[in-house]
Amino acid sequence: MALYSEKVMDHFRNPRNVGVIEDANGVGLAGNAKCGDIMKMYLKIEDEVVQDVKFETFGCGSAIASSSMATELIKGQPLSEVRKLTNQAVAEALDGLPAYKMHCSVLAEEAIQAALQDYESRMTKEDN
Ligand code: FES
C-alpha cells in the first residue's frame, strides 16, 4: 500500500487556497517545535461565515496537504461548524495519514482555531 493516499498527494502537489488575505479579520499561527514546521491561516469572516480562507505553510508535504484540505473544509462554513473542526476530520478527508504524520494535521486544527480566536478577540475589542 502506498504510504500516502491519492488525496494527500493531490493536495500536496496542487494545494488549494495558498496565499495571504490582506484584509483578513482572523489570523492564526501554529507551529511544531519538534519538526519546526509552521502554518499560518487567514480568515475573512462575514456574517459569522468563512467567506474566504488562505494559508501559508512552511513545512512538510503532509502539513501542506492538511492545510489545503482544511481550507476546503471550512470555506463557506458557519463559525459554529468551523469551531468543531478537528485534526481527525482533516486526516479523514485526506483518506488518512500515516500515524507518525498525524501531528501535521494537528497544525491545521490549531492554526484555524487560533485564527478564530483572533477574530473573536477583534470583535470583542470592537464592541468595547
Ligand atoms: Fe511536522 Fe509535518 S513533519 S508538520
Side-chain angles (χ1 to χ4, degrees), residues 3 97-104:
L3 187 56
L97 283 169
Y100 70 100
K101 284 287 178 179
M102 280 303 283
H103 81 270
C104 316

Side-chain angles (χ1 to χ4, degrees), residues 32 35-37 60 62-63 101 103-104 107:
N32 182 297
C35 64
D37 291 355
C60 72
S62 297
K101 284 287 178 179
H103 81 270
C104 316
L107 281 190

